[in-house]
Amino acid sequence: MSDESSFISHLQVFATHPAARGLTDDAASLTLGGRTLILTHDVIVENVHFLPSDPPEDIGWKLVAVNLSDLAAEGAKPSGALMAYNLSGDTEWDRRFAEGFGVALARFQCPLIGGDTVRAPLGSARQFGMTALGEAENSPGRSGAAPGDDLWVSGTLGDAGAGLRIARGEISGPQELVEAYRRPTPQLELGQRLAPMVSAMMDISDGLLIDAKRLAEASGVAAIVESIDVPLSEALVGLMGDSRETSVAAATSGDDYELLFTAPRRSRRAIETVAEELNARIQCIGLVEQGEGLKFQEGGRPLPLPQSLGWAH
Ligand SMILES: Nc1ncnc2c1ncn2[C@@H]1O[C@H](COP(=O)(O)OP(=O)(O)OP(=O)(O)O)[C@@H](O)[C@H]1O
Ligand SMILES: Cc1ncc(C[n+]2csc(CCOP(=O)(O)O)c2C)c(N)n1
Ligand SMILES: [Mg+2]
């Protein structure tokens, strides 16, 4: 168990309010006066979530995107954001961060409604927090996947993981992949449209395999992931080749901020129609079975699970 999951399990003992949903979901779901408020809070830290060399505008954008991605997973429409800022000691850097933060809020129609600003000790790592609030009529959660359901994913995976390696100078490759790392797009509209059709949904922040395992655990089922069906972009295939290694890296690198969801087979057509209407890419990458845990396969034949299924703090 990672330090992160062990710490969350200490909190789970007393987070018994129904809104906490056992701390197993992407966001809290608080019912107030007959309406459902979805709440999430994410922090991003220098050298953990972003690089010191990333443009400050992109870091501001990323803070918004990673939070709104948790709202997307709950099918919520953003209502507002609160932001926690540590002054960096460089006023131009701070201005550029605010610019990117504002551009992202405008793009995803999420008003800034408050926050807090402090000065951190000189030389400490930059870190920023945001609370996002949204409203949802249906918020699927992770616990409703049932045997026989299809397992779906939106977008392409692994682009941000490769982009991070390019940004770090470990490999050279197209800027498009670096952009996927620096400027993820939360799938808000897709999440809102899919929410009434799916049995479970979450966003992929830590990696397809680790997140699929979490979804399966929350639902008390087994998830089967087919490596051949892991959606890869042309840019990624062009750089890394269309191999098992590329699919495994794409399924474990994280930072994708795409949606992972399950739905009964009878909903296939309706799901594809929504994706077509939104011009969104979706791919059926496996299925849900009775049992527990995660199974990884290639062309139907079992593959050993990679040593690391994804990111854990
Ligand atoms: N310090 C904390 N206090 C209260 N709840 C927490 C804390 N840290 C995590 N949680 C809760 O634990 C659950 C899992 O948190 P986590 O940040 O891993 O969310 P996630 O959606 O799986 O990942 P991501 O935020 O990357 O999308 C969530 O319900 C979250 O609200
Ligand atoms: C500089 C740098 N090194 C590594 C990574 C990879 N990474 C860090 S946290 C995370 C999961 C999402 O975070 P959380 O679980 O906190 O929401 C991933 C995939 C990165 N983004 N930047
Ligand atoms: Mg999440």
Side-chain angles (χ1 to χ4, degrees):
M1 197 188 246
S2 67
D3 290 350
E4 181 186 10
S5 8
S6 146
F7 182 68
I8 293 174
S9 66
H10 293 313
L11 305 176
Q12 278 165 336
V13 173
F14 57 88
T16 52
H17 192 283
R21 299 159 125 184
L23 303 185
T24 58
D25 254 303
D26 293 270
S29 172
L30 187 64
T31 304
L32 287 176
R35 295 170 83 173
T36 305
L37 198 57
I38 305 295
L39 300 122
T40 184
H41 181 90
D42 262 315
V43 176
I44 58 171
V45 181
E46 184 176 55
N47 282 320
V48 177
H49 299 87
F50 60 87
L51 294 167
S53 55
D54 287 338
E57 293 88 346
D58 290 349
I59 300 167
W61 172 287
K62 186 176 262 189
L63 181 61
V64 173
V66 301
N67 274 280
L68 298 189
S69 179
D70 281 324
L71 293 189
E74 300 299 345
K77 186 171 180 290
S79 313
L82 303 160
M83 193 256 280
Y85 196 74
N86 284 290
L87 293 165
S88 71
D90 176 342
T91 51
E92 176 58 8
W93 199 99
D94 294 339
R95 187 199 62 71
R96 290 178 58 193
F97 175 98
E99 189 182 309
F101 182 73
V103 166
L105 288 178
R107 161 82 167 72
F108 302 114
Q109 295 179 24
C110 180
L112 179 66
I113 57 174
D116 192 24
T117 302
V118 295
R119 184 178 296 282
L122 206 68
S124 54
R126 290 184 163 105
Q127 71 170 60
F128 311 103
M130 177 174 142
T131 300
L133 297 83
E135 262 201 272
E137 274 166 30
N138 302 278
S139 78
R142 298 181 183 175
S143 61
D149 282 358
D150 292 321
L151 181 67
W152 297 83
V153 72
S154 69
T156 57
L157 303 182
D159 298 323
L164 171 59
R165 295 187 61 199
I166 299 167
R168 273 195 172 129
E170 291 170 11
I171 51 173
S172 50
Q175 190 60 23
E176 179 183 339
L177 297 176
V178 178
E179 286 301 302
Y181 168 67
R182 290 182 174 159
R183 290 216 171 212
T185 303
Q187 297 300 320
L188 283 160
E189 264 194 290
L190 187 61
Q192 287 162 36
R193 292 284 303 276
L194 290 175
M197 300 175 185
V198 302
S199 49
M201 185 154 67
M202 66 185 296
D203 73 329
I204 306 179
S205 49
D206 292 341
L208 168 66
L209 294 186
I210 198 167
D211 285 331
K213 186 166 181 242
R214 288 175 180 149
L215 189 147
E217 273 165 9
S219 295
V221 294
I224 322 291
V225 174
E226 172 54 58
S227 72
I228 289 171
D229 293 328
V230 171
L232 307 175
S233 70
E234 270 180 38
L236 187 69
V237 170
L239 179 67
M240 314 288 263
D242 192 1
S243 64
R244 181 193 294 174
E245 286 66 37
T246 308
S247 295
V248 170
T252 53
S253 54
D255 279 330
D256 302 300
Y257 299 102
E258 293 293 345
L259 296 173
L260 176 68
F261 54 99
T262 56
R265 271 174 187 218
R266 64 171 184 279
S267 306
R268 262 185 206 178
R269 192 65 215 123
I271 286 171
E272 282 163 353
T273 304
V274 162
E276 277 158 28
E277 283 171 13
L278 297 178
N279 206 12
R281 180 166 174 173
I282 55 163
Q283 171 77 40
C284 183
I285 50 152
L287 75 154
V288 176
E289 277 184 353
Q290 243 170 5
E292 59 178 45
L294 172 73
K295 292 179 194 158
F296 195 35
Q297 62 183 38
E298 187 182 60
R301 277 192 293 277
L303 275 184
L305 284 178
Q307 218 167 22
S308 162
L309 298 180
W311 180 273
H313 291 287

